[in-house]
Amino acid sequence: MKKLFVLLLSCTILSACITLKEINQTIDCKYDLVGVEVTEYSLDTLSADVALAITNKSKDTNARMTRFAGKVYLNDTPLTDVTLGEFLIEPQSTKVEKLSINVPFSQVGKNIIGLVLANSNTMKYKVVGTIYFATPLGEIPFPVVFTKQEK
């Protein structure tokens, strides 16, 4: 009975260490906003695709998250909420996720919409949110910011 208890305890500790290693690796990933592309516009709404890239810089550890919830910002004005589901990123690889958003013109303003449609360089997009990790004790949140890297 004592050997069974030690074996179960060892397995639990091992799996907890692996989970902590994956969580730590996900926190250490590089988060980039690849781009925003206007896909459609009408008299009252603007539709766009937002591409987010997450790069796992580790040589041997996967990065894993349960979900992501955040907001897309344009020049520090919140546009819309976005979410991602569970995913796994292999070591030394990048995962690009595309999100589709719909924004009413009234929320942004006509002047800014003109700049967005012209793909102006003065537009500063960012996605701010929280990544959640599943653990045996529940979900652990970690804040992240996706920004466009200047070249």
Side-chain angles (χ1 to χ4, degrees), residues 120-138:
S120 173
N121 289 335
T122 61
M123 298 288 91
K124 302 293 183 212
Y125 296 96
K126 70 179 174 182
V127 178
V128 178
T130 305
I131 287 180
Y132 295 89
F133 307 100
T135 67
L137 301 175

Side-chain angles (χ1 to χ4, degrees), residues 21 25 55-62 90-93:
K21 196 171 182 183
Q25 187 52 47
T55 304
N56 184 355
K57 300 179 280 185
S58 172
K59 293 183 180 178
D60 59 357
T61 305
N62 291 330
E90 300 292 328
Q92 296 283 297
S93 66

Side-chain angles (χ1 to χ4, degrees), residues 100-118:
S100 295
I101 62 170
N102 293 311
V103 182
F105 281 170
S106 61
Q107 184 177 351
V108 180
K110 292 177 183 174
N111 295 337
I112 291 181
I113 291 299
L115 293 172
V116 170
L117 293 175

Side-chain angles (χ1 to χ4, degrees), residues 38-59:
V38 175
T39 55
E40 186 179 327
Y41 59 93
S42 65
L43 294 175
D44 56 352
T45 61
L46 172 77
S47 297
D49 286 337
V50 179
L52 305 175
I54 304 171
T55 304
N56 184 355
K57 300 179 280 185
S58 172
K59 293 183 180 178

